[in-house]
Amino acid sequence: MAYDVEAPKYVRLAQTLQGRIEDGTYAPGTRVPSENQLVQAFGMSRPTVVRALELLKRDGWLESRQGYGTIVRGRPAVVEKRDRRGTEALTRDESRALGRLVEVGRVPVPARVASVLGLPKRAKVLVRRFLVEEDGEPVELVSSYFPAGLIEGTDLESATPLSGGTRAHLETRKKLRFDHVTERVSARLPERDEAELLEVPDGVPVLSVLVVACDASGQALQVSDVLLPADRQELEDTYRLN
C-alpha cells in the first residue's frame, strides 16, 4: 500500500533553496538568483519558481527589496520553535508528559492528512490525540495519524498512554527508520471538539503545524497536526536591516 505522494514541484524547490540558505550557499543579506536563473538552473516553469519564492518569503527566509531583488534573511527564529514542536510530536512520552490522552481510534482520514499519506477520501486511519497541559491549562492539541498498514504488531491502538514516543515505538516494532520531517504552518478556525479541548472562544483561530515524518525514501510514516491557540502564542523573529 502506498502511503505518500510526491510533494508539489514548488514545495520541493522551496525545500532545496531553504537547504542552500541553511548550509550557507545563500548567505544572509545576499541576493538569491533571479527568477530567470532559477528557471534555467532547475528546469522548472516560472510560475513554479514564483510560488517557491513566495513560500519562502511567507515563512521568513526571504524578503523582497524594491530595486534590489530578493534578499536572504537567514533562518527565522520561529523555525527553531516549529522544529521543537515537530520533534516533540514524535518523541513525546505520553506516560510521563504533562497532559492526557483524549482519543485513540480509527477515523476517516482528514483531507489535509489524506493528501500527504496518499490515501483516498473516506479511508480509515488510526489517530492518537494528546492534549498537552501546563498548570492545568490546555496549551497544545496533538493529533497523530498512522496508515492502517503500520498498525499491526504495535501498541498504537492501545488506550493506555504510550511510553517512549511513537517514533521509538515504530522503529522498534516495525523495524522502520525515520529520516526527515517536513512542517507546514497555517492558521484556521478550530473544529468544535478542538475548540472545546483547547478552551478556545468562538471566532479565535488556531495555528496548525502539520508535521510529516518520513523515511529515507520520502514515504510518510506519521502525520501529526499540532494545534496551538492563536491568542496564546507569541512568535519572535529578529533580522538585520541593511
Side-chain angles (χ1 to χ4, degrees), residues 105-141:
R106 301 200 185 203
V107 298
V109 59
R112 60 186 176 279
V113 176
S115 60
V116 176
L117 292 177
L119 296 176
K121 295 179 180 178
R122 296 182 295 278
K124 289 293 186 71
V125 291
L126 176 71
V127 63
R128 292 186 69 86
R129 181 170 286 186
F130 192 88
L131 183 67
V132 182
E133 298 174 320
E134 293 181 2
D135 298 324
E137 179 184 29
V139 295
E140 188 174 317
L141 180 62

Side-chain angles (χ1 to χ4, degrees), residues 15-199:
Q15 291 170 338
T16 298
L17 297 177
Q18 178 182 315
R20 294 188 179 185
I21 295 172
E22 292 188 291
D23 67 17
T25 301
Y26 301 148
T30 63
R31 283 188 296 182
V32 297
S34 68
E35 291 177 8
N36 286 337
Q37 289 172 324
L38 292 173
V39 166
Q40 293 296 320
F42 292 96
M44 294 184 177
S45 67
R46 182 177 297 277
T48 296
V49 169
V50 170
R51 290 190 71 184
L53 294 175
E54 288 301 319
L55 184 61
L56 291 171
K57 291 173 188 175
R58 184 200 69 185
D59 288 348
W61 295 89
L62 303 174
E63 66 173 310
S64 293
R65 193 169 299 170
Q66 189 171 6
Y68 196 69
T70 302
I71 308 300
V72 177
R73 292 178 60 183
R75 184 178 178 86
V78 66
V79 173
E80 301 290 346
K81 187 71 169 180
R82 292 211 307 266
D83 285 351
R84 182 179 65 81
R85 296 197 186 281
T87 301
E88 287 180 349
L90 300 176
T91 61
R92 177 175 285 109
D93 187 330
E94 296 173 347
S95 66
R96 305 182 67 177
L98 295 177
R100 54 194 172 93
L101 191 63
V102 295
E103 181 183 0
V104 179
R106 301 200 185 203
V107 298
V109 59
R112 60 186 176 279
V113 176
S115 60
V116 176
L117 292 177
L119 296 176
K121 295 179 180 178
R122 296 182 295 278
K124 289 293 186 71
V125 291
L126 176 71
V127 63
R128 292 186 69 86
R129 181 170 286 186
F130 192 88
L131 183 67
V132 182
E133 298 174 320
E134 293 181 2
D135 298 324
E137 179 184 29
V139 295
E140 188 174 317
L141 180 62
V142 184
S143 300
S144 296
Y145 299 91
F146 306 88
L150 290 186
I151 299 171
E152 185 177 354
T154 73
D155 292 334
L156 292 176
E157 284 192 284
S158 172
T160 301
L162 197 65
S163 63
T166 54
R167 173 184 176 179
H169 188 77
L170 281 171
E171 288 185 335
T172 300
R173 293 295 184 91
K174 303 295 287 188
K175 306 304 178 184
L176 300 171
R177 182 171 179 80
F178 286 68
D179 180 76
H180 61 276
V181 169
T182 299
E183 298 182 1
R184 305 173 185 175
V185 181
S186 60
R188 63 178 175 85
L189 289 175
E191 298 177 4
R192 182 180 299 276
D193 61 332
E194 295 170 340
E196 290 177 353
L197 286 168
L198 287 169
E199 299 179 6

